[in-house]
Amino acid sequence: MYKLLAEKLYNVEDERIITKRGTYWNLISSLLNSAMTAIIMFFITLTSDVSVNGWFSIATAVAYQCQAIGFFGIRNLHIADTNKEYAFSDYAYFNIISSILMVFVLSVLSFGQNYVLEKACLIFIYGIYRGVDIFEALFHDEYQREGRLDLGVILQTIRFAISLIVLIIVLLIFGNLVFATLAATLVSVLLIIIQNKPFIKYFPCKLKKIKTINLKKLFVICLPIFIAGFINMYLANAPKYAIDGTLSDELQGIFGILSLPIFTINLLSTVIYKPYISKMATYWYAHNFSAFKKVIFRQILIIVLLTFSIVTFGYLAGLRLLELIYGISLYDYMSTFILLLIGGGINTLGAFLNFIMVIFREQNKNMYIYILSGVITYILSGILIEHFNLLGSGMIYILSSGIVTCLCGLVLFMKYHSVRRKITYA
């Protein structure tokens, strides 16, 4: 039954249908992914106190930080490698190595701190839950490289939905977030295997003999991208780390609720530009500057308008809505909330520019930009939290995102005009 459904899903030749379906399901998948943390935190409030929300908040930070290690900056390269410079097996072996490193770091961050055992277990298991995305993305990125973004996002949406439902049901029955997360992780792994098995035969998803030289090349290419991505994730979660070391689990839980819309801005914007990554790369390599510039400006405009809309809604009704949903008084944190929303928009713009930096092969400069921003943020984060409490978290977010976005924009502007001049006068 599922094999027939998979065959029907694959056998579509009209590119317009594939693009429309890919865009639609990418939107659904990203919306669900952006809502998962908020939904889980809502059910945590039904079964536990706000301190457990604090545990979950830091667990999400560590999970995404370690996920950046697992991906090791290779996703954008895999998708944009339309010239097939590297085979699927090269990306697969690279992912295996990076995933082993991810689990090791996750173990240290979970059990190497002074956390109570239950909090440490939650951080580790939730990290694995998000880590299985790496295994799934290996296949889905190959599908997208072959022009079938739609297949990956449809399967991902189904997995997100089922695993979330399992987590909620187990949490409500047993009232234990650790046990619920473990159940959702096992279901996720099982679904990835079952879902992708019928599609592998349509794509070059075969493991060949390992080519060490290709892994070394990928490492050299991806290291700057990884460092930039890893520090970017640190910058996104720097307020949580500062709170974890200075304030209480209760305030961590409140911050987790206040910061939920940030990921909505980020993920909704990703929905808009993710389907165009390969197209932007094609335009750039073909020196189709007018088409390339048109896509870039359109995406930036969408990010700005989306951010403005969310900030306006957040000020007028968003905070009150969060109070009603989670049953916690948040009005005293309005200034923090607005700063976080603005910072979320700036961070999203920086993330988009990061994609373009990879296309421009300027990942080395990107790395230095993130290192600079990371050092400044690390130095100031503790000071800002100590002096301004949660308001300092919003200041941290705007500072770190602003540095990255401004410097990336400057580098891209100079690179674009440099290349265009060379082509024009060649």
Side-chain angles (χ1 to χ4, degrees):
M1 177 70 177
Y2 179 65
K3 286 184 178 180
L4 292 175
L5 184 62
E7 188 174 337
K8 186 177 180 181
L9 194 63
Y10 174 78
N11 288 327
V12 177
E13 296 182 357
D14 191 329
E15 193 163 333
R16 290 175 300 175
I17 295 176
I18 292 172
T19 302
K20 184 182 293 186
R21 192 164 69 179
T23 303
Y24 171 77
W25 280 101
N26 190 43
L27 172 63
I28 300 300
S29 176
S30 297
L31 284 172
L32 181 57
N33 191 25
S34 66
M36 281 176 71
T37 300
I39 294 170
I40 294 171
M41 291 184 82
F42 170 75
F43 283 99
I44 291 173
T45 60
L46 298 181
T47 58
S48 308
D49 57 35
V50 70
S51 64
V52 178
N53 262 332
W55 291 3
F56 182 69
S57 180
I58 195 64
T60 58
V62 172
Y64 285 113
Q65 193 74 61
C66 290
Q67 190 184 67
I69 297 173
F71 282 125
F72 211 87
I74 204 167
R75 285 205 73 181
N76 297 343
L77 181 65
H78 190 168
I79 294 169
D81 184 18
T82 52
N83 293 329
K84 306 290 180 62
E85 187 175 351
Y86 299 97
F88 170 83
S89 58
D90 294 324
Y91 293 108
Y93 288 124
F94 193 88
N95 270 5
I96 291 171
I97 296 170
S98 62
S99 295
I100 294 171
L101 178 61
M102 178 199 73
V103 174
F104 172 75
V105 174
L106 177 61
S107 302
V108 174
L109 293 177
S110 302
F111 299 105
Q113 314 299 317
N114 294 320
Y115 297 141
V116 296
L117 182 60
E118 187 176 358
K119 182 178 179 180
C121 288
L122 174 62
I123 292 171
F124 180 78
I125 296 172
Y126 190 76
I128 297 298
Y129 175 66
R130 300 307 315 196
V132 298
D133 292 355
I134 298 160
F135 177 53
E136 179 187 58
L138 174 65
F139 296 99
H140 293 181
D141 291 347
E142 185 66 21
Y143 302 165
Q144 185 175 353
R145 183 167 69 156
E146 296 287 336
R148 297 304 301 267
L149 167 68
D150 59 317
L151 298 179
V153 290
I154 289 172
L155 299 181
Q156 186 180 63
T157 304
I158 295 170
R159 181 177 70 86
F160 281 163
I162 294 176
S163 66
L164 179 61
I165 291 170
V166 169
L167 191 151
I168 291 169
I169 291 174
V170 175
L171 178 60
L172 291 176
I173 293 174
F174 296 98
N176 188 303
L177 185 58
V178 175
F179 187 45
T181 306
L182 178 61
T185 302
L186 294 174
V187 168
S188 272
V189 173
L190 189 62
L191 282 172
I192 290 171
I193 296 170
I194 294 173
Q195 286 180 322
N196 288 279
K197 190 175 180 181
F199 292 99
I200 291 175
K201 63 183 180 182
Y202 298 116
F203 300 93
C205 299
K206 295 180 180 180
L207 286 179
K208 301 176 182 177
K209 185 178 179 181
I210 189 168
K211 295 181 179 179
T212 309
I213 189 170
N214 282 356
L215 296 183
K216 288 180 179 178
K217 288 179 181 178
L218 285 173
F219 177 78
V220 171
I221 294 171
C222 291
L223 181 61
I225 304 172
F226 159 69
I227 292 175
F230 184 82
I231 297 176
N232 182 43
M233 191 57 64
Y234 165 75
L235 296 176
N237 292 305
K240 291 184 180 181
Y241 295 135
I243 293 170
D244 191 54
T246 308
L247 306 178
S248 65
D249 285 332
E250 287 76 13
L251 285 175
Q252 181 74 269
I254 290 173
F255 176 81
I257 294 171
L258 292 174
S259 62
L260 288 174
I262 293 175
F263 295 98
T264 302
I265 297 174
N266 199 338
L267 288 166
L268 282 177
S269 300
T270 303
V271 170
I272 307 299
Y273 62 71
K274 185 180 177 182
Y276 294 93
I277 295 173
S278 297
K279 186 174 290 187
M280 284 190 294
T282 301
Y283 286 153
W284 178 251
Y285 298 142
H287 300 145
N288 189 345
F289 297 115
S290 60
F292 178 80
K293 194 163 62 173
K294 184 178 179 181
V295 174
I296 298 300
F297 284 140
R298 183 173 62 185
Q299 304 310 315
I300 291 175
L301 179 62
I302 289 172
I303 292 171
V304 171
L305 292 176
L306 184 62
T307 302
F308 177 78
S309 301
I310 292 177
V311 170
T312 303
F313 177 78
Y315 178 75
L316 296 175
L319 196 63
R320 180 57 183 158
L321 186 61
L322 288 175
E323 287 183 326
L324 292 174
I325 293 173
Y326 294 98
I328 299 172
S329 178
L330 300 171
Y331 186 77
D332 291 341
Y333 304 103
M334 174 64 82
S335 298
T336 302
F337 183 58
I338 297 302
L339 286 180
L340 288 172
L341 292 179
I342 295 172
I346 297 172
N347 182 64
T348 299
L349 181 57
F352 174 63
L353 296 181
N354 188 34
F355 276 108
I356 305 172
M357 293 281 276
V358 175
I359 294 174
F360 279 19
R361 291 292 189 263
E362 291 289 343
Q363 55 265 27
N364 289 329
K365 292 178 183 176
N366 204 22
M367 177 182 68
Y368 296 127
I369 289 171
Y370 276 100
I371 290 174
L372 175 63
S373 182
V375 170
I376 294 173
T377 302
Y378 180 79
I379 293 171
L380 296 179
S381 59
I383 298 172
L384 290 173
I385 290 292
E386 284 183 14
H387 283 77
F388 298 99
N389 208 295
L390 280 189
L391 184 63
S393 63
M395 296 176 181
I396 293 168
Y397 202 56
I398 286 184
L399 172 69
S400 60
S401 302
I403 293 171
V404 169
T405 303
C406 290
L407 292 179
C408 280
L410 179 62
V411 170
L412 291 173
F413 178 81
M414 294 173 64
K415 174 73 173 184
Y416 174 83
H417 286 282
S418 173
V419 171
R420 185 154 190 175
R421 278 196 300 269
K422 288 179 181 178
I423 298 299
T424 303
Y425 298 108

